Amino acid sequence: MQQRTKDCLWALGLTALMVIVGLLRLSTPLPSGQVAIELAGVIGLSAMVGLNLRWGAGITTMGTVILLLLGKADWMTVLDMVVDMVMVSALIGWQLPRDVKVTHRQAIGVGVAAGISQWITAEVLCGIAGDAFAHGTGIMPFMRLALPATLLTALLYMLLIPPLSLVIRHFNWQPPQDSNQSKKTRSMVIDLSDHQGMPKEQDDHHDKD
């Protein structure tokens, strides 16, 4: 019960932070509308690594719905967020128990993958929206116009997700319940080649030759 209360408090705090960041977003005008430098997703994606997928997905969904109701998000934001959530979930193997250690390199890998996913998705969506607005003039001109904003957003994702996810993970990591497992450190293995990760057991000491 105490752990669930702690999780709820973290969820409420991170959701509030996500909404605040969403309200303070920067934007740049384009013929198709406003292309936002959207950083609210950084909070939700970091929570997926720092807490777990279920809580992180809930925080991301709730924050996005609130921003939609406040008029600070649109269908492009929602689709972009969904793609990023699927990417991060697949990258860490659709599960991340709290007794699994996440290293700095692994957190950076998640941030890089999320940033690339966010950039590609945002570029495509901006191109499609611009093409629809201009009645079939092509998506490439609008993708070029959106490039500065989408690229900056992607770089900020790569920069901010690793430290934030590690901070959240630090305060929510739990030691293994099994006494035998408690003598070992479990870490997450991320393979960017096929976007799948899985927990792996590693001994605390190195094997001697």
PDB file of all heavy atoms in Angstrom, residues 13-26 36-44 67 72 157 160 164:
ATOM      1  N   GLY A  13       2.727  14.175  -9.551  1.00  0.00           N
ATOM      2  CA  GLY A  13       3.750  15.201  -9.701  1.00  0.00           C
ATOM      3  C   GLY A  13       4.274  15.286 -11.122  1.00  0.00           C
ATOM      4  O   GLY A  13       4.432  16.384 -11.677  1.00  0.00           O
ATOM      5  N   LEU A  14       4.541  14.121 -11.741  1.00  0.00           N
ATOM      6  CA  LEU A  14       5.073  14.123 -13.106  1.00  0.00           C
ATOM      7  C   LEU A  14       4.020  14.565 -14.117  1.00  0.00           C
ATOM      8  O   LEU A  14       4.350  15.225 -15.110  1.00  0.00           O
ATOM      9  CB  LEU A  14       5.600  12.729 -13.453  1.00  0.00           C
ATOM     10  CG  LEU A  14       6.868  12.301 -12.701  1.00  0.00           C
ATOM     11  CD1 LEU A  14       7.196  10.845 -12.991  1.00  0.00           C
ATOM     12  CD2 LEU A  14       8.044  13.194 -13.075  1.00  0.00           C
ATOM     13  N   THR A  15       2.766  14.197 -13.874  1.00  0.00           N
ATOM     14  CA  THR A  15       1.694  14.668 -14.761  1.00  0.00           C
ATOM     15  C   THR A  15       1.571  16.179 -14.699  1.00  0.00           C
ATOM     16  O   THR A  15       1.430  16.853 -15.731  1.00  0.00           O
ATOM     17  CB  THR A  15       0.357  14.015 -14.385  1.00  0.00           C
ATOM     18  OG1 THR A  15       0.469  12.587 -14.467  1.00  0.00           O
ATOM     19  CG2 THR A  15      -0.752  14.471 -15.328  1.00  0.00           C
ATOM     20  N   ALA A  16       1.620  16.724 -13.489  1.00  0.00           N
ATOM     21  CA  ALA A  16       1.554  18.178 -13.331  1.00  0.00           C
ATOM     22  C   ALA A  16       2.730  18.853 -14.020  1.00  0.00           C
ATOM     23  O   ALA A  16       2.574  19.882 -14.699  1.00  0.00           O
ATOM     24  CB  ALA A  16       1.530  18.538 -11.847  1.00  0.00           C
ATOM     25  N   LEU A  17       3.929  18.272 -13.879  1.00  0.00           N
ATOM     26  CA  LEU A  17       5.107  18.827 -14.530  1.00  0.00           C
ATOM     27  C   LEU A  17       4.970  18.772 -16.044  1.00  0.00           C
ATOM     28  O   LEU A  17       5.342  19.724 -16.749  1.00  0.00           O
ATOM     29  CB  LEU A  17       6.354  18.066 -14.081  1.00  0.00           C
ATOM     30  CG  LEU A  17       7.694  18.520 -14.683  1.00  0.00           C
ATOM     31  CD1 LEU A  17       7.973  19.970 -14.327  1.00  0.00           C
ATOM     32  CD2 LEU A  17       8.829  17.621 -14.190  1.00  0.00           C
ATOM     33  N   MET A  18       4.415  17.663 -16.553  1.00  0.00           N
ATOM     34  CA  MET A  18       4.218  17.525 -17.991  1.00  0.00           C
ATOM     35  C   MET A  18       3.262  18.592 -18.513  1.00  0.00           C
ATOM     36  O   MET A  18       3.496  19.188 -19.571  1.00  0.00           O
ATOM     37  CB  MET A  18       3.673  16.125 -18.301  1.00  0.00           C
ATOM     38  CG  MET A  18       3.455  15.857 -19.769  1.00  0.00           C
ATOM     39  SD  MET A  18       2.920  14.145 -20.067  1.00  0.00           S
ATOM     40  CE  MET A  18       2.606  14.217 -21.832  1.00  0.00           C
ATOM     41  N   VAL A  19       2.193  18.854 -17.772  1.00  0.00           N
ATOM     42  CA  VAL A  19       1.229  19.873 -18.183  1.00  0.00           C
ATOM     43  C   VAL A  19       1.869  21.259 -18.162  1.00  0.00           C
ATOM     44  O   VAL A  19       1.684  22.068 -19.081  1.00  0.00           O
ATOM     45  CB  VAL A  19      -0.011  19.831 -17.278  1.00  0.00           C
ATOM     46  CG1 VAL A  19      -0.936  21.016 -17.575  1.00  0.00           C
ATOM     47  CG2 VAL A  19      -0.761  18.517 -17.478  1.00  0.00           C
ATOM     48  N   ILE A  20       2.646  21.548 -17.126  1.00  0.00           N
ATOM     49  CA  ILE A  20       3.305  22.850 -17.024  1.00  0.00           C
ATOM     50  C   ILE A  20       4.266  23.068 -18.192  1.00  0.00           C
ATOM     51  O   ILE A  20       4.285  24.135 -18.814  1.00  0.00           O
ATOM     52  CB  ILE A  20       4.048  22.972 -15.681  1.00  0.00           C
ATOM     53  CG1 ILE A  20       3.051  23.013 -14.525  1.00  0.00           C
ATOM     54  CG2 ILE A  20       4.935  24.221 -15.658  1.00  0.00           C
ATOM     55  CD1 ILE A  20       3.693  22.950 -13.162  1.00  0.00           C
ATOM     56  N   VAL A  21       5.061  22.035 -18.494  1.00  0.00           N
ATOM     57  CA  VAL A  21       5.990  22.142 -19.627  1.00  0.00           C
ATOM     58  C   VAL A  21       5.224  22.324 -20.929  1.00  0.00           C
ATOM     59  O   VAL A  21       5.626  23.104 -21.805  1.00  0.00           O
ATOM     60  CB  VAL A  21       6.892  20.897 -19.686  1.00  0.00           C
ATOM     61  CG1 VAL A  21       7.730  20.904 -20.960  1.00  0.00           C
ATOM     62  CG2 VAL A  21       7.799  20.832 -18.469  1.00  0.00           C
ATOM     63  N   GLY A  22       4.087  21.620 -21.063  1.00  0.00           N
ATOM     64  CA  GLY A  22       3.271  21.764 -22.264  1.00  0.00           C
ATOM     65  C   GLY A  22       2.684  23.149 -22.410  1.00  0.00           C
ATOM     66  O   GLY A  22       2.578  23.690 -23.522  1.00  0.00           O
ATOM     67  N   LEU A  23       2.317  23.762 -21.299  1.00  0.00           N
ATOM     68  CA  LEU A  23       1.762  25.114 -21.345  1.00  0.00           C
ATOM     69  C   LEU A  23       2.812  26.154 -21.698  1.00  0.00           C
ATOM     70  O   LEU A  23       2.493  27.208 -22.258  1.00  0.00           O
ATOM     71  CB  LEU A  23       1.131  25.457 -19.995  1.00  0.00           C
ATOM     72  CG  LEU A  23      -0.122  24.664 -19.610  1.00  0.00           C
ATOM     73  CD1 LEU A  23      -0.554  25.010 -18.192  1.00  0.00           C
ATOM     74  CD2 LEU A  23      -1.253  24.922 -20.597  1.00  0.00           C
ATOM     75  N   LEU A  24       4.070  25.853 -21.396  1.00  0.00           N
ATOM     76  CA  LEU A  24       5.146  26.816 -21.634  1.00  0.00           C
ATOM     77  C   LEU A  24       5.890  26.562 -22.936  1.00  0.00           C
ATOM     78  O   LEU A  24       6.943  27.134 -23.165  1.00  0.00           O
ATOM     79  CB  LEU A  24       6.150  26.766 -20.469  1.00  0.00           C
ATOM     80  CG  LEU A  24       5.599  27.145 -19.094  1.00  0.00           C
ATOM     81  CD1 LEU A  24       6.676  26.962 -18.034  1.00  0.00           C
ATOM     82  CD2 LEU A  24       5.068  28.571 -19.093  1.00  0.00           C
ATOM     83  N   ARG A  25       5.335  25.712 -23.801  1.00  0.00           N
ATOM     84  CA  ARG A  25       6.053  25.318 -25.019  1.00  0.00           C
ATOM     85  C   ARG A  25       6.291  26.501 -25.954  1.00  0.00           C
ATOM     86  O   ARG A  25       5.501  27.446 -26.016  1.00  0.00           O
ATOM     87  CB  ARG A  25       5.274  24.233 -25.755  1.00  0.00           C
ATOM     88  CG  ARG A  25       3.978  24.725 -26.392  1.00  0.00           C
ATOM     89  CD  ARG A  25       3.271  23.607 -27.130  1.00  0.00           C
ATOM     90  NE  ARG A  25       2.064  24.102 -27.789  1.00  0.00           N
ATOM     91  CZ  ARG A  25       1.309  23.345 -28.560  1.00  0.00           C
ATOM     92  NH1 ARG A  25       1.621  22.077 -28.769  1.00  0.00           N
ATOM     93  NH2 ARG A  25       0.233  23.850 -29.135  1.00  0.00           N
ATOM     94  N   LEU A  26       7.383  26.400 -26.691  1.00  0.00           N
ATOM     95  CA  LEU A  26       7.688  27.379 -27.730  1.00  0.00           C
ATOM     96  C   LEU A  26       7.083  26.900 -29.042  1.00  0.00           C
ATOM     97  O   LEU A  26       6.824  25.722 -29.230  1.00  0.00           O
ATOM     98  CB  LEU A  26       9.200  27.545 -27.869  1.00  0.00           C
ATOM     99  CG  LEU A  26       9.951  27.981 -26.606  1.00  0.00           C
ATOM    100  CD1 LEU A  26      11.449  27.983 -26.882  1.00  0.00           C
ATOM    101  CD2 LEU A  26       9.494  29.350 -26.138  1.00  0.00           C
ATOM    102  N   ALA A  36       5.168  23.238 -32.894  1.00  0.00           N
ATOM    103  CA  ALA A  36       5.627  23.486 -31.529  1.00  0.00           C
ATOM    104  C   ALA A  36       6.933  22.778 -31.245  1.00  0.00           C
ATOM    105  O   ALA A  36       7.197  21.696 -31.767  1.00  0.00           O
ATOM    106  CB  ALA A  36       4.572  23.032 -30.528  1.00  0.00           C
ATOM    107  N   ILE A  37       7.749  23.416 -30.440  1.00  0.00           N
ATOM    108  CA  ILE A  37       8.907  22.743 -29.863  1.00  0.00           C
ATOM    109  C   ILE A  37       8.377  22.081 -28.594  1.00  0.00           C
ATOM    110  O   ILE A  37       8.403  22.647 -27.511  1.00  0.00           O
ATOM    111  CB  ILE A  37      10.040  23.748 -29.567  1.00  0.00           C
ATOM    112  CG1 ILE A  37      10.445  24.455 -30.858  1.00  0.00           C
ATOM    113  CG2 ILE A  37      11.238  23.045 -28.942  1.00  0.00           C
ATOM    114  CD1 ILE A  37      11.496  25.524 -30.664  1.00  0.00           C
ATOM    115  N   GLU A  38       7.836  20.905 -28.780  1.00  0.00           N
ATOM    116  CA  GLU A  38       7.058  20.213 -27.753  1.00  0.00           C
ATOM    117  C   GLU A  38       7.965  19.369 -26.874  1.00  0.00           C
ATOM    118  O   GLU A  38       8.555  18.394 -27.329  1.00  0.00           O
ATOM    119  CB  GLU A  38       5.998  19.327 -28.418  1.00  0.00           C
ATOM    120  CG  GLU A  38       5.145  18.559 -27.445  1.00  0.00           C
ATOM    121  CD  GLU A  38       4.382  19.488 -26.538  1.00  0.00           C
ATOM    122  OE1 GLU A  38       3.458  20.167 -27.010  1.00  0.00           O
ATOM    123  OE2 GLU A  38       4.739  19.528 -25.344  1.00  0.00           O
ATOM    124  N   LEU A  39       8.070  19.750 -25.608  1.00  0.00           N
ATOM    125  CA  LEU A  39       8.935  19.030 -24.675  1.00  0.00           C
ATOM    126  C   LEU A  39       8.170  18.317 -23.579  1.00  0.00           C
ATOM    127  O   LEU A  39       8.770  17.673 -22.717  1.00  0.00           O
ATOM    128  CB  LEU A  39       9.934  20.005 -24.034  1.00  0.00           C
ATOM    129  CG  LEU A  39      10.904  20.695 -24.997  1.00  0.00           C
ATOM    130  CD1 LEU A  39      11.805  21.648 -24.224  1.00  0.00           C
ATOM    131  CD2 LEU A  39      11.738  19.668 -25.762  1.00  0.00           C
ATOM    132  N   ALA A  40       6.836  18.407 -23.605  1.00  0.00           N
ATOM    133  CA  ALA A  40       6.048  17.734 -22.571  1.00  0.00           C
ATOM    134  C   ALA A  40       6.255  16.220 -22.614  1.00  0.00           C
ATOM    135  O   ALA A  40       6.262  15.552 -21.577  1.00  0.00           O
ATOM    136  CB  ALA A  40       4.565  18.072 -22.738  1.00  0.00           C
ATOM    137  N   GLY A  41       6.452  15.681 -23.821  1.00  0.00           N
ATOM    138  CA  GLY A  41       6.643  14.238 -23.944  1.00  0.00           C
ATOM    139  C   GLY A  41       7.888  13.734 -23.246  1.00  0.00           C
ATOM    140  O   GLY A  41       7.965  12.546 -22.901  1.00  0.00           O
ATOM    141  N   VAL A  42       8.863  14.611 -23.028  1.00  0.00           N
ATOM    142  CA  VAL A  42      10.079  14.208 -22.316  1.00  0.00           C
ATOM    143  C   VAL A  42       9.734  13.659 -20.925  1.00  0.00           C
ATOM    144  O   VAL A  42      10.319  12.673 -20.476  1.00  0.00           O
ATOM    145  CB  VAL A  42      11.048  15.408 -22.194  1.00  0.00           C
ATOM    146  CG1 VAL A  42      12.188  15.088 -21.234  1.00  0.00           C
ATOM    147  CG2 VAL A  42      11.595  15.783 -23.556  1.00  0.00           C
ATOM    148  N   ILE A  43       8.760  14.285 -20.259  1.00  0.00           N
ATOM    149  CA  ILE A  43       8.394  13.870 -18.913  1.00  0.00           C
ATOM    150  C   ILE A  43       7.788  12.471 -18.930  1.00  0.00           C
ATOM    151  O   ILE A  43       8.184  11.586 -18.164  1.00  0.00           O
ATOM    152  CB  ILE A  43       7.393  14.869 -18.287  1.00  0.00           C
ATOM    153  CG1 ILE A  43       7.895  16.307 -18.456  1.00  0.00           C
ATOM    154  CG2 ILE A  43       7.158  14.521 -16.828  1.00  0.00           C
ATOM    155  CD1 ILE A  43       9.218  16.568 -17.823  1.00  0.00           C
ATOM    156  N   GLY A  44       6.820  12.256 -19.824  1.00  0.00           N
ATOM    157  CA  GLY A  44       6.161  10.954 -19.885  1.00  0.00           C
ATOM    158  C   GLY A  44       7.091   9.831 -20.299  1.00  0.00           C
ATOM    159  O   GLY A  44       7.073   8.739 -19.716  1.00  0.00           O
ATOM    160  N   LEU A  67      -3.641  18.502 -21.822  1.00  0.00           N
ATOM    161  CA  LEU A  67      -3.180  19.522 -22.764  1.00  0.00           C
ATOM    162  C   LEU A  67      -4.154  19.687 -23.929  1.00  0.00           C
ATOM    163  O   LEU A  67      -4.357  20.798 -24.428  1.00  0.00           O
ATOM    164  CB  LEU A  67      -1.790  19.158 -23.282  1.00  0.00           C
ATOM    165  CG  LEU A  67      -0.648  19.265 -22.266  1.00  0.00           C
ATOM    166  CD1 LEU A  67       0.645  18.722 -22.849  1.00  0.00           C
ATOM    167  CD2 LEU A  67      -0.458  20.718 -21.833  1.00  0.00           C
ATOM    168  N   LYS A  72      -3.706  23.123 -25.824  1.00  0.00           N
ATOM    169  CA  LYS A  72      -2.262  23.228 -26.025  1.00  0.00           C
ATOM    170  C   LYS A  72      -1.680  22.017 -26.752  1.00  0.00           C
ATOM    171  O   LYS A  72      -0.468  21.862 -26.837  1.00  0.00           O
ATOM    172  CB  LYS A  72      -1.566  23.395 -24.674  1.00  0.00           C
ATOM    173  CG  LYS A  72      -1.895  24.703 -23.969  1.00  0.00           C
ATOM    174  CD  LYS A  72      -1.436  25.897 -24.787  1.00  0.00           C
ATOM    175  CE  LYS A  72      -1.697  27.212 -24.065  1.00  0.00           C
ATOM    176  NZ  LYS A  72      -1.218  28.371 -24.849  1.00  0.00           N
ATOM    177  N   TYR A 157      15.133  16.241 -26.725  1.00  0.00           N
ATOM    178  CA  TYR A 157      14.716  14.918 -26.242  1.00  0.00           C
ATOM    179  C   TYR A 157      15.948  14.079 -25.884  1.00  0.00           C
ATOM    180  O   TYR A 157      16.001  13.452 -24.819  1.00  0.00           O
ATOM    181  CB  TYR A 157      13.899  14.198 -27.320  1.00  0.00           C
ATOM    182  CG  TYR A 157      12.410  14.374 -27.210  1.00  0.00           C
ATOM    183  CD1 TYR A 157      11.830  15.639 -27.234  1.00  0.00           C
ATOM    184  CD2 TYR A 157      11.555  13.288 -27.106  1.00  0.00           C
ATOM    185  CE1 TYR A 157      10.467  15.815 -27.151  1.00  0.00           C
ATOM    186  CE2 TYR A 157      10.180  13.442 -27.015  1.00  0.00           C
ATOM    187  CZ  TYR A 157       9.639  14.711 -27.039  1.00  0.00           C
ATOM    188  OH  TYR A 157       8.285  14.881 -26.943  1.00  0.00           O
ATOM    189  N   LEU A 160      17.596  15.602 -22.655  1.00  0.00           N
ATOM    190  CA  LEU A 160      16.867  15.673 -21.388  1.00  0.00           C
ATOM    191  C   LEU A 160      16.372  14.320 -20.870  1.00  0.00           C
ATOM    192  O   LEU A 160      16.292  14.118 -19.655  1.00  0.00           O
ATOM    193  CB  LEU A 160      15.670  16.620 -21.541  1.00  0.00           C
ATOM    194  CG  LEU A 160      16.007  18.084 -21.839  1.00  0.00           C
ATOM    195  CD1 LEU A 160      14.736  18.877 -22.071  1.00  0.00           C
ATOM    196  CD2 LEU A 160      16.810  18.689 -20.694  1.00  0.00           C
ATOM    197  N   LEU A 164      16.832  12.762 -16.729  1.00  0.00           N
ATOM    198  CA  LEU A 164      15.550  12.756 -16.010  1.00  0.00           C
ATOM    199  C   LEU A 164      15.105  11.334 -15.697  1.00  0.00           C
ATOM    200  O   LEU A 164      14.631  11.046 -14.583  1.00  0.00           O
ATOM    201  CB  LEU A 164      14.488  13.475 -16.839  1.00  0.00           C
ATOM    202  CG  LEU A 164      13.106  13.604 -16.184  1.00  0.00           C
ATOM    203  CD1 LEU A 164      13.209  14.308 -14.845  1.00  0.00           C
ATOM    204  CD2 LEU A 164      12.149  14.355 -17.110  1.00  0.00           C
TER     205      LEU A 164
END
